[in-house]
Amino acid sequence: MPRYVVERTFADGLHLPGGPEGDEVRAKIVANNAKLGVTWLSSYVNEDRTKTFCIYDAPDTAASEEAGVRSGVPVDRITRVSELSPYEY
């Protein structure tokens, strides 16, 4: 399955709650993604929490974008990527 990096901008910063409330938010995102065949692998956030870089496996860019729309999160750019590892050499 293709892999993508989805870049997002949160002008007021990313405010993802912790604890059970955060677990519920993440579970809803995962459920929305699953309906489209999208798997959220991991996310990275910058220091001031205004940008995230999320790693997804998805059938195509359209599914990645629709997953963001359904979860109510911005989608700035979607880039198809492949893994390059220092351990391959």
Side-chain angles (χ1 to χ4, degrees):
M1 173 137 348
R3 182 158 292 170
Y4 299 91
V5 174
V6 179
E7 297 178 41
R8 308 178 192 284
T9 300
F10 296 87
D12 297 325
L14 175 65
H15 303 286
L16 185 62
E21 186 180 351
D23 292 344
E24 186 177 317
V25 169
R26 287 184 294 276
K28 286 180 182 177
I29 292 170
V30 168
N32 284 335
N33 292 351
K35 293 173 188 172
L36 298 165
V38 174
T39 302
W40 177 18
L41 301 174
S42 62
S43 292
Y44 300 88
V45 61
N46 69 345
E47 191 171 352
D48 66 2
R49 301 182 67 81
T50 58
K51 297 270 305 172
T52 62
F53 304 88
C54 305
I55 314 301
Y56 289 92
D57 284 344
D60 52 40
T61 56
S64 295
E65 186 164 11
E66 180 62 23
V69 169
R70 289 185 184 190
S71 294
V73 294
V75 176
D76 297 337
R77 180 183 307 169
I78 300 172
T79 305
R80 186 171 174 169
V81 297
S82 57
E83 186 172 358
L84 177 63
S85 170
Y87 306 106
E88 293 176 7
Y89 302 101

